[in-house]
Each structure stands twice: as structure tokens, then as C-alpha cells.
Amino acid sequence: MSDTHPSRAGTAATERYEALFRVSQTLISIRSAEELFRLLALELRAVVNFYVMGVGIYDQSAHEVHLTSYGEPGVPLQVPKFAPEETFTWWVFQHQQPLIIPSLDRETRFPAVAAMLKERGVRSVCALPLTTVHRRLGGLAVGSIESDAYSGEEVRFLSLVANQVALAVDDALNFDASHHSQEALQSSTRQFRQIVDTIPGLVSTRSATGAPEFVNQQMLDFFGRSLEQLPDWSSLIHPDDRERVVNQWHRSVDTGRPYDVEHRARRADGVYRWLHARGQAVQDADGRIVRWCNVLTDIDDRKHVEEALRTSELNLRAIVDAIPQFIAVIDAEGAVLYANQLLLQYTGWTLEDLKASDFPAMILHPDNFEKLRDERQKALARGAPFELELRARRSDGQYRWFLVRYNPLRDELENVLRWYASATDIDDRKRAEDRLQLLLDVTNQVVSNLQLRDLLGAISSSVRRVMQCDLVSVCFPDTERKRLQTFVIDFPGSKGFIREELISIEGSLGGFVFRSGKPWAGNATDLLQSGLKNEPAIAEGLKTGCVLPLISRNVVLGVLALGRREDNPFSQVDIGFLAQVANQVAIAVENATAYGQIEGARAELEKAFEEIKDLKDRLQNENVALREQIDQALMFEEIVGVSPALRAVLSRVSKVAPTDSTVLLTGETGTGKELIARAIHKRSRRSSRAFVSVNCAAIPASLIASELFGHEKGAFTGAMQRRLGRFELAEEGTIFLDEVGELPAETQITLLHVLQEREFQRVGGNQSIRANARIIAATNRDLEAAIAEGRFRSDLFYRLNVFPIEIPPLRERKEDIPLLVEYFIDRFARKAGKSIRGMNKKTLNLFLSYPWPGNIRELQNVVERSVIVCETENFSVDESWLSRKPLANEPKSQSELSQKLAAQEKEMIEGALRASGGRVSGPSGAAAKLGLHRSTLESKITSLKINKYRFKTASSSKVR
């Protein structure tokens, strides 16, 4: 029994291995990986016990595991995609050893795969690596529905199975890769053929000896021949090009150098077209030529365009050569690329000469070469069109002026490719400009410079430069008019034969012109033929010359001479121009002569003016001293007096005048308040502006607002047009408000607004007007008493009372009475046409003893009346005019009136306090009974020294 069991086990193992061998033979014959995996799932069941089988192939480049799974009986299963690290394949791939999972219930390393298998009923798994001697492929896994289904013996057998499967999988994968490579190669070949066939050229390859191997469809279509007919390709080349092309091909074959030639070839329709043939040798690793790659490009259209372009270029060159201007093309750095024929003829050089040399240095005048070269280089660097005026040397060495214009040619990126330069001959214009400028300079010199030698020296230098002469001189006759004196000579290259010396008028060229008054122009031969052999001009080597008379007012004043060492005679145009210059020089000579005479007369006048100035200065000093004496005596214009009281007033006037502060002048009537106001205005910064005086008491209350602030058209009945008020008339000046205490209440409010806000509105208007006028107010009333009586606003008083000045009455400045009497006597006597020489002492004493209640105005009236009735030279006054009787109904004095008013006011306040029981505020208080504000009444009680407490009663105390 025991012998029978091992025998059966051995027989089963042998059959299993034989079955494995058969499966291996079957698997080896399979070339498709997909077919292999399907057959593997069917055939392995004969040798291995499993419920599901899976094969995982790991792609290292993509880091992915491609899983294929089969169930029973060989049915493919859907497998979701897992991360490589989550699969059995990744584990056996990395560890290269079997993975045995006896129970998936206890497996935690592969949760996703384990969960999937458990859903399908799998309980245990065995996974083995698929590896050949060449590479690692992935893993083979089998699963059973039984736990712990795979013993060690089973795993060893499965390892043999895995090795066989690995070989089969490796073969299948290699077969797939080879199959894919062949398909890719065939696809690439087809694509290459399509690309080559679409190339706009004739492409071919030839063997090392030149035999055709491959041609594209374009070449077959062009020549109309098959590949087998192309070996005789030379017969297709134009006979005129054949030998050259064949020789070039043979040289390339022999040397291996690239083949590049243009030739004509016959197309299938028999037409020859230009082709550009290029060939490149392909060499093996040893450097041997294995084939040639050739490309023929149809350039027939380009050739025709080039031919047309050459023809056009020839035509353009002919046109450019026919243009009467110099044309040049230069590159971006300034080097010459092309020059037209006219430029080459002018310079005498070839185009190669200009290209090989420093073009500007060859033609520019050395005097301004450096400057023009720098300007040209800077302008070229800027890249914008520009112009230059320059002198260029001709082939004979002469320089002429040209205007050169440069214009750039740019590419699509605005980079300068080259410059086109055109030069226009402006030499005649420049000469005309120089001559015109010379005439202008001469004229300016004649007008501005009266020093004859300096003037003629400057003119001679300019004439020599513009006329391109070697000599310019000016000669004048001596006092006897028998010899000519060279006054100015400009001759830098003189040999010393012509000097500033006297020459005889008789027998000389200059003398001939001076005597005849006609210009001469000629050469040395003309002088010799005229018998003037001793002329120093011949010794100096002057070949041509011109001498012109200097004529002014039909009188020849001298001669102007010019000479040249070159045989370049003066033309009639030159002589005509020089005649104009000679006329200007003659004017200069005449002006200089007159200037000398004027200078002498001016010296005498200046001496007389100095004497007059001394006398004037002396009178001025005396006048200033006299004015200072008057100012010291009279102080301020018509304000006469020297008393301390008046000096104090004038001192305050001097301090406040320069400011813009508001001034309030107080004092009795007739004390001269308006004079003080005018004095303040004249010494202020507003003295140049208007002084507007307004007597507030003389204007009706209904018109005072319109008078001060103006009114609009239609503001009231009779307002037919707009009228400016006194404040607008006094703009930037001073307005004097006399008798300001007489203003009505509504006008006081408006004036207060003007003082506060510096603006007002016309009557009937709604537009505010800025008030820029200084305000000086005056009154002979007691404004504080008027405030107490409610007839004047206290806030307006405080605005006006910024700088108060009280004018003293005449009785307080008796020292000024003699001066005032004398001033008024002189004033009214001159007005009446009388001569009053003095005043007796008795009259003066009467004036001094009189109190003058009307002040200066009363004094002025008395003096004027006395002058009118005076019959002698001594001034006297009627004593009855200086009566001391007071006026009817007038208090004896202002102090007495003030005392009476204060007493009456005190009595009224005490009566109100008595009636109110000493109570000031409240409905039944004294303030309400009197119609006053409580604070105003308190102020009056204090000022009148009233004891309000003595009027208090017991009842009032209880109420309180």
C-alpha cells in the first residue's frame, strides 16, 4: 500500500511535468502577447490549480503596471487601474522572489487588490516574478478560492511555470516590438516618399558611380521618363551647358566635394528651363562615398527676373548718369558702393578708387574737412535724412560748393541698409550769397564803424576772401591832389614791392583811374602795352587786376584796387559787383570825414553841456535846500504850524500813513480834519491813486447808500443806468468819510460789512464787489455818547477806531496863529491883487486872545474878510468881528453841554432803577424800561458812578 502511493505520486508528478512541457511548446509558438495571455489561462489549468490568473507587465519608462486577468474557464476579467506600488507585480518585480499570501483576510500590504480579489471569492494568492536572463518583465499571480492553497512544493512548481511563461512573454513582447518597428518603418518610408514627392524640387539619389537609385515624382514628371530611362541624364542638358555640367559632376565624384551648378535642362514638353543642381556625398564610417543626394531646383523664373533686373539696372544706370547731379550709394557705415558717371568725371577717379579710399578726405576742402566729417558721421548714426553744404575738389584741383542730401533705405525692422546721396552744384548761388553778404557787411560796417582805418581794413579783408584775390588796397589823394597815398592794404603774400607809400598820380594806373573816374580791368600785358612798365603790381607777380574809383556826390575820393596772381581775369559781373562795393566804400569815406567834423563840434557841445550841468546841479541843490527849509517850517503841504500839539498829530500821521490801517479823525469843526486825511493819503502807498472825499452829513439819508456803493440800472425810480459808487471810484486809493457820525443806521450796517468782509453790493444788485480802498473817517461828534444814545453802532465804532487821531482846536495851539495869519494874508492878498506888507501888534494880540470857537475855518474867514476891506499896506481887523458872545441857544461851552447831558442821563437811569427797585435785568428791570441792553446799562451805571444798590427794596430782595 505504501509502495503504491509513492508510485502514484511519482506518476502524477511525471504527468504534470509532461503537461508543462507541452504547454511550454505551445506557448513558444505564440507571437502575440494578447493571444499568449489568453492561451496561457487555458493551458495552465492542466498543470496548476487556480481560480483566477493574472499577468502584470511593468513599464519602467511610464512607471505603470499593465494587468491582464482571466477567470474560470479562461474568461478575461475587468481590472481597474492601480498604482504600481499597490500591485503584487510591483512587489515581486522589486524583490525577485515568490509572494505567498495564505489568507487575504489577514493581508494589509495590498488593500485595493486584496479587496478586489475577495469580492471575486479568492482566499489565497501566489505571485512569482517573470524574469529572463535579459530583463525583468513583471509578475505572474494565481489565486485560489481556498485558504493556504499553495504549499512549498506547489510554489517550486509554479516557479518553473513562471520561468517558462517569462520566456514566452519575452518572445511575444519582442515580436510585438519588432512588428511595430516594421510598421513604423514602412509608415516612415511612405511619409518620406510623400514628403520628397511634395518638395518643390527634383530629388534623386545616385550610387557612388552616378547610377540612379531613387528619384521623386517631381523629377519623373519633369523629364517624362522612368527611373530606368534616367541613366543617360546628360542628354537632357542644354548643349551649351552640357560639357561644363558633366565636367563639374566628374570633379565632384573624383574629389567628393559638393556639386553646385546652374544649367538648362529639357523638360518633357521639349522646353529648356534653368535648373540649380546641388549634390552632397553620403559617406560610410570609413569615409567612402556610398551614394549622392541630389536636388534640382527650377530657377527659370528667377533667371528671367534677374535678366529683367539687369536690363532695368542698365536703364536706371543710364538715367542716373544722365541726371545733372552727383549720385552716390553708400553703406550704413559710409563706405561708397556706387557713384554715377558725372561724379566720376568730376573727381577724375574710378569707382574702385572711391571704394578703396577715404572718400570724404579725397574731395572735401581741408578748411572744413574735420567739422563736416564729424557732422556726417553723427548724422549717419542717427539714421534720419539730412543735408550738408560742402566744397568738393574737382579733377583740376578747383573747389566748388555742393548741397548734398542723404536719404536712408531701411529694411522691415527699420535698420538702415544703405544711403542714397545726391549732390547739387550750388557754387554760383554761394558766390552770389557771399557777395550779397559782403555788401550787407560793408553796409553795416559803414553804418556802425566810423573809424576809417579799421573800417577799410575789415572791408578789404572781406573783399579779398569773397573775390578770391591776392591783393586789395585803398588809396586816397594827398592835400595837393598830386599823389596817392596807400591808406589800407590787404596783401598777405606780398613780396614788398607794394607798400603804404605815396605814388604820383601822373604815370600810374591808380592815378589814371583817379583822374578819369572810370574803372579799369586787365592783365600785366595790358599794363605793358599802356607804357606802365614800372607798376609794382608787375614786380609782385600779379597777372590780372581791377581798379575802381571811389565816387561820392560826383567827386572822386580815391581808388579801390584788386589783384590776382592767377590768370583769372575779372568779368563784367565782377566789375559790376565791385562797383557797388566801391560806392559803399565811398559813402564810408564821406561819413568818416563828416564824423570827424561832428566829433569836433560834439566836443565843444559837451564842454558847454558840462557848464550847464554844473549850473543846473547848483540850482538843484539850492532848490532842495529851500524845500527842506519850507518842509521844516510848514511840515505838511498846507498844514501850517509848529506847535507841540500839531507836531504830535503830524508824528502820528507819519507813522500810520505807510500802512493800510483805518484811521478815525476826531476834533471840533474847522480844525482841518480833511487836510490831515489828505496828508495821510499822500504819504501812503496809495498816493498815486484817487483820494475820494464824502461828506456824509450833506447827502440825504435816502441817497447815501447809492452814493457810497453805487446802484444798478432800475434799482429805484430814476435809476436810468448803472452808477459807480464812491468806494469803486476809490479802488486802490483812499476814501474819506467826513461827518461819519451822521450816517443812518442801515448805512452803518453796510459800512460795517465793508470793513469786515472787504466787499459790498451795489443798490439793486446781487453781485459782490471787492473793496480795496483805505478808509479814513472823521467826525466832530462824541461817538461814544452817540453809542450810549443808540444813534451809532458800537461795533462800527470799534472797526473805525483802529488808529484814532484827535485834532487839537486852534485855542490849544496859539503858537501857530501868527504863522496861519501870515499864510492866509499872503494867499488872499495875491488873490485880490493887493500888497500887504505887515500887521500891527494890536491886531496880532487880538488874534491871540480870541478863543476861535470856529477854529481855523473861522480864522481863515476873518483874514479873508479883513484883506478884502483893507485899504493900506498894513493888515488890520475889525474888533467887532472877534466878539466873545456865544451863539443863541448855544451852551457856554461844550464841556457845559456834556455835563448837562450826563446829568440828565444820570437822572433818567436813577429814576428807572428806583422804579424797578434796583433791578437791572429782566422784564421789569431798568434796562427794559429804558430800552437798553443790560450790559449797556451796566456800563453807563459804572461810568456815571451810580450806586444801584441804594435803590433796592425789601420786596425786591425777597424776590431775588
Side-chain angles (χ1 to χ4, degrees):
M1 194 68 181
S2 59
D3 294 335
T4 304
H5 181 72
S7 175
R8 288 178 179 176
T11 301
T14 301
E15 291 176 353
R16 194 177 194 186
Y17 282 105
E18 289 176 354
L20 175 60
F21 178 75
R22 289 193 300 273
V23 170
S24 300
Q25 293 299 317
T26 302
L27 295 179
I28 290 173
S29 63
I30 304 302
R31 291 291 178 263
S32 170
E34 182 179 354
E35 179 64 20
L36 173 65
F37 295 152
R38 187 187 65 78
L39 185 62
L40 185 63
L42 294 172
E43 297 294 336
L44 279 184
R45 291 188 182 277
V47 294
V48 179
N49 179 28
F50 63 87
Y51 177 67
V52 293
M53 183 203 74
V55 178
I57 305 300
Y58 176 59
D59 185 351
Q60 296 189 55
S61 61
H63 187 53
E64 291 181 349
V65 173
H66 301 286
L67 294 174
T68 303
S69 181
Y70 292 90
E72 187 179 14
V75 177
L77 301 176
Q78 293 294 325
V79 180
K81 188 173 184 180
F82 296 106
E85 293 81 5
E86 295 178 332
T87 64
F88 303 146
T89 299
W90 171 259
W91 194 94
V92 297
F93 183 91
Q94 295 293 326
H95 294 84
Q96 288 297 301
Q97 63 185 31
L99 171 65
I100 308 300
I101 302 176
S103 175
L104 287 176
D105 292 335
R106 296 190 298 273
E107 179 57 47
T108 59
R109 291 171 293 178
F110 312 99
V113 177
M116 180 193 70
L117 292 175
K118 285 192 291 184
E119 287 180 359
R120 295 177 178 175
V122 178
R123 293 293 178 264
S124 60
V125 174
C126 177
L128 302 107
L130 295 179
T131 304
T132 68
V133 295
H134 302 294
R135 58 175 173 168
R136 298 179 183 183
L137 300 175
L140 170 67
V142 291
S144 176
I145 58 177
E146 297 178 0
S147 299
D148 198 13
Y150 301 102
S151 62
E153 181 65 26
E154 192 74 10
V155 171
R156 283 191 292 275
F157 180 75
L158 286 173
S159 297
L160 294 176
V161 173
N163 291 336
Q164 296 300 316
V165 171
L167 292 174
V169 170
D170 191 31
D171 288 343
L173 292 177
N174 289 335
F175 177 78
D176 287 345
S178 175
H179 181 68
H180 292 156
S181 297
Q182 290 178 359
E183 288 182 347
L185 179 60
Q186 292 173 0
S187 175
S188 176
T189 302
R190 288 194 300 272
Q191 291 178 0
F192 173 75
R193 183 76 192 208
Q194 290 175 354
I195 292 172
V196 171
D197 287 342
T198 57
I199 291 175
L202 313 181
V203 182
S204 66
T205 60
R206 296 178 181 273
S207 66
T209 60
E213 294 179 342
F214 165 80
V215 294
N216 69 343
Q217 191 63 38
Q218 297 274 7
M219 179 175 283
L220 296 176
D221 294 341
F222 183 87
F223 290 112
R225 298 192 179 191
S226 64
L227 178 62
E228 293 73 17
Q229 295 173 321
L230 285 177
D232 190 18
W233 57 270
S234 61
S235 62
L236 301 174
I237 298 175
H238 195 284
D240 294 343
D241 303 332
R242 187 176 300 153
E243 182 180 358
R244 173 174 57 84
V245 173
V246 172
N247 291 337
Q248 177 68 31
W249 166 247
H250 288 158
R251 280 195 299 270
S252 296
V253 171
D254 294 339
T255 62
R257 288 196 296 269
Y259 171 75
D260 194 324
V261 65
E262 292 181 356
H263 62 80
R264 286 164 290 180
R266 188 175 68 249
R267 199 167 55 184
D269 58 0
V271 176
Y272 283 95
R273 292 184 66 84
W274 278 97
L275 300 177
H276 181 195
R278 285 170 292 178
Q280 183 72 39
V282 179
Q283 299 175 341
D284 60 12
D286 297 329
R288 291 188 298 270
I289 297 176
V290 295
R291 67 176 48 85
W292 287 85
C293 295
N294 304 307
V295 178
L296 300 177
T297 305
D298 191 325
I299 60 171
D300 196 71
D301 293 338
R302 193 196 77 188
K303 280 289 187 177
H304 289 301
V305 171
E306 289 177 351
E307 183 63 26
L309 184 61
R310 277 193 295 272
T311 303
S312 176
E313 185 176 350
L314 291 174
N315 294 334
L316 179 62
R317 187 181 297 272
I319 293 172
V320 170
D321 288 340
I323 294 175
Q325 286 183 320
F326 299 160
I327 306 295
V329 181
I330 60 178
D331 62 18
E333 286 71 33
V336 178
L337 300 175
Y338 165 79
N340 69 340
Q341 191 62 32
L342 190 62
L343 176 57
L344 298 178
Q345 290 175 355
Y346 180 85
T347 59
W349 298 314
T350 64
L351 180 59
E352 287 68 26
D353 294 334
L354 296 180
K355 288 182 178 180
S357 306
D358 186 1
F359 179 53
M362 295 169 63
I363 66 170
L364 293 181
H365 195 284
D367 289 352
N368 49 14
F369 165 69
E370 295 291 340
K371 177 182 177 182
L372 286 174
R373 184 186 63 181
D374 294 342
E375 288 182 2
R376 179 174 177 267
Q377 288 303 119
K378 290 177 181 178
L380 290 175
R382 286 194 298 269
F386 65 97
E387 295 181 354
L388 289 176
E389 288 188 358
L390 50 84
R391 284 178 288 176
R393 188 172 64 87
R394 200 165 56 190
S395 57
D396 59 0
Q398 296 294 321
Y399 285 91
R400 293 184 66 82
W401 279 99
F402 290 89
L403 172 63
V404 184
R405 294 184 174 91
Y406 292 82
N407 286 287
L409 174 66
R410 301 178 183 275
D411 59 13
E412 296 82 357
L413 300 178
E414 293 298 315
N415 297 317
V416 176
L417 299 177
R418 59 179 58 89
W419 291 83
Y420 295 98
S422 62
T424 304
D425 191 323
I426 58 170
D427 195 71
D428 294 338
R429 191 199 78 188
K430 290 293 288 187
R431 291 180 185 275
E433 289 177 355
D434 288 344
R435 293 186 178 189
L436 183 61
Q437 186 62 45
L438 175 60
L439 281 178
L440 181 61
D441 292 342
V442 170
T443 302
N444 291 336
Q445 289 284 348
V446 168
V447 173
S448 61
N449 192 349
L450 295 175
Q451 299 297 326
L452 189 58
R453 188 173 295 277
D454 295 340
L455 171 64
L456 294 180
I459 293 175
S460 299
S461 177
S462 298
V463 170
R464 184 178 62 82
R465 174 181 56 81
V466 173
M467 299 305 298
Q468 299 181 1
C469 300
D470 297 290
L471 162 71
V472 175
S473 65
V474 179
C475 302
F476 296 129
D478 61 2
T479 55
E480 298 178 355
R481 302 181 70 83
K482 293 183 179 180
R483 292 182 298 179
L484 289 174
Q485 170 70 50
T486 303
F487 188 72
V488 170
I489 182 172
D490 186 3
F491 194 8
S494 174
K495 298 179 182 179
F497 296 101
I498 298 179
R499 299 185 296 272
E500 294 184 4
E501 60 183 4
L502 290 169
I503 58 174
S504 175
I505 291 178
E506 299 297 333
S508 66
L509 178 60
F512 167 76
V513 173
F514 181 77
R515 291 293 189 195
S516 65
K518 296 180 180 179
W520 176 90
N523 52 32
T525 302
D526 296 331
L527 290 177
L528 294 174
Q529 291 176 354
S530 301
L532 302 175
K533 299 180 182 180
N534 298 324
E535 274 294 321
I538 298 176
E540 286 285 357
L542 299 176
K543 296 181 179 179
T544 60
C546 179
V547 184
L548 301 99
L550 304 178
I551 302 175
S552 178
R553 304 178 190 274
N554 297 323
V555 177
V556 180
L557 305 178
V559 294
L560 171 66
L562 298 87
R564 293 172 178 163
R565 285 199 169 104
E566 295 180 357
D567 192 8
N568 182 17
F570 291 87
S571 64
Q572 289 299 318
V573 175
D574 294 338
I575 295 173
F577 170 72
L578 290 172
Q580 297 180 56
V581 175
N583 291 337
Q584 296 296 319
V585 173
I587 294 173
V589 173
E590 190 174 29
N591 288 347
T593 303
Y595 175 72
Q597 297 172 352
I598 292 172
E599 282 296 304
R602 179 179 295 171
E604 295 181 0
L605 281 175
E606 287 180 353
K607 183 177 179 180
F609 284 148
E610 285 295 327
E611 294 178 357
I612 293 172
K613 185 176 181 300
D614 291 341
L615 293 174
K616 182 179 178 181
D617 290 343
R618 192 182 307 167
L619 285 174
Q620 182 69 25
N621 293 335
E622 292 176 357
N623 188 22
V624 170
L626 182 60
R627 285 180 177 274
E628 290 177 352
Q629 292 176 4
I630 293 173
D631 287 345
Q632 290 175 359
L634 302 180
M635 292 294 289
F636 284 75
E637 288 87 8
E638 295 181 356
I639 302 175
V640 179
V642 294
S643 65
L646 182 60
R647 287 180 180 274
V649 170
L650 297 182
S651 174
R652 291 176 65 82
V653 168
S654 298
K655 292 177 181 178
V656 77
T659 70
D660 277 343
S661 298
T662 302
V663 180
L664 178 61
L665 304 177
T666 58
E668 298 176 8
T669 183
T671 53
K673 291 187 286 296
E674 184 170 353
L675 283 179
I676 296 298
R678 289 184 180 275
I680 293 173
H681 172 72
K682 288 183 179 180
R683 281 158 179 76
S684 71
R685 292 189 295 268
R686 301 172 179 264
S687 59
S688 61
R689 299 293 182 173
F691 177 86
V692 178
S693 177
V694 182
N695 191 330
C696 300
I699 302 173
S702 60
L703 297 179
I704 186 65
S706 172
E707 188 68 24
L708 290 177
F709 309 116
H711 63 257
E712 297 288 352
K713 180 180 179 181
F716 48 82
T717 304
M720 303 304 295
Q721 60 184 3
R722 173 186 288 180
R723 183 176 185 276
L724 301 182
R726 297 298 181 91
F727 269 94
E728 289 185 76
L729 296 176
E731 178 69 13
E732 297 186 2
T734 302
I735 183 168
F736 176 56
L737 303 177
D738 197 8
E739 303 297 344
V740 72
E742 306 301 325
L743 285 175
E746 58 272 16
T747 307
Q748 291 182 31
I749 296 173
T750 307
L751 180 59
L752 175 63
H753 180 75
V754 173
L755 288 169
Q756 289 177 337
E757 306 299 334
R758 290 293 173 182
E759 64 179 20
F760 61 90
Q761 292 181 356
R762 298 190 188 100
V763 176
N766 55 11
Q767 182 179 1
S768 295
I769 301 172
R770 295 297 300 173
N772 182 15
R774 182 181 191 171
I775 298 176
I776 301 177
T779 182
N780 61 358
R781 288 187 175 275
D782 184 355
L783 293 182
E784 292 184 356
I787 292 171
E789 296 169 2
R791 290 185 291 104
F792 199 82
R793 297 180 62 90
S794 59
D795 46 5
L796 176 59
F797 170 73
Y798 294 132
R799 285 287 181 180
L800 293 173
N801 198 37
V802 176
F803 195 90
I805 299 178
E806 184 176 359
I807 315 300
L810 186 57
R811 60 181 174 275
E812 294 180 8
R813 39 181 290 210
K814 291 186 180 292
E815 302 93 328
D816 297 334
I817 292 177
L819 292 174
L820 288 167
V821 171
E822 183 179 352
Y823 172 76
F824 287 137
I825 290 173
D826 180 67
R827 175 180 171 183
F828 294 125
R830 281 189 284 105
K831 187 176 179 181
K834 294 184 178 182
S835 176
I836 298 178
R837 298 183 178 277
M839 174 178 59
N840 57 44
K841 190 174 182 181
K842 178 181 177 182
T843 301
L844 180 59
N845 290 333
L846 281 172
F847 280 114
L848 292 173
S849 60
Y850 185 66
W852 300 106
N855 292 295
I856 298 175
R857 187 179 294 116
E858 183 183 5
L859 175 63
Q860 177 181 338
N861 294 340
V862 170
V863 173
E864 183 177 7
R865 193 185 317 150
S866 300
V867 169
I868 292 173
V869 300
C870 184
E871 300 293 341
T872 66
E873 293 183 350
N874 290 323
F875 177 78
S876 60
V877 64
D878 188 340
E879 294 184 20
S880 63
W881 296 345
L882 302 179
S883 173
R884 296 175 183 268
K885 295 179 181 181
L887 296 176
N889 300 324
E890 181 183 359
K892 293 181 179 179
S893 66
Q894 286 189 358
S895 60
E896 183 179 353
L897 175 60
S898 298
Q899 291 174 1
K900 286 185 177 182
L901 289 173
Q904 291 178 3
E905 188 175 23
K906 183 176 183 181
E907 183 179 350
M908 292 175 63
I909 293 173
E910 287 178 345
L913 287 171
R914 188 177 297 107
S916 63
R919 186 182 181 88
V920 176
S921 60
S924 60
K929 294 181 181 298
L930 294 173
L932 297 176
H933 193 273
R934 181 187 62 79
S935 60
T936 303
L937 181 57
E938 290 283 6
S939 176
K940 289 183 177 293
I941 290 173
T942 302
S943 62
L944 295 174
K945 299 179 180 180
I946 299 174
N947 184 7
K948 62 182 177 180
Y949 297 105
R950 66 187 178 90
F951 299 104
K952 291 186 180 292
T953 61
S955 61
S956 64
S957 299
K958 289 179 182 180
V959 173
R960 295 187 60 168

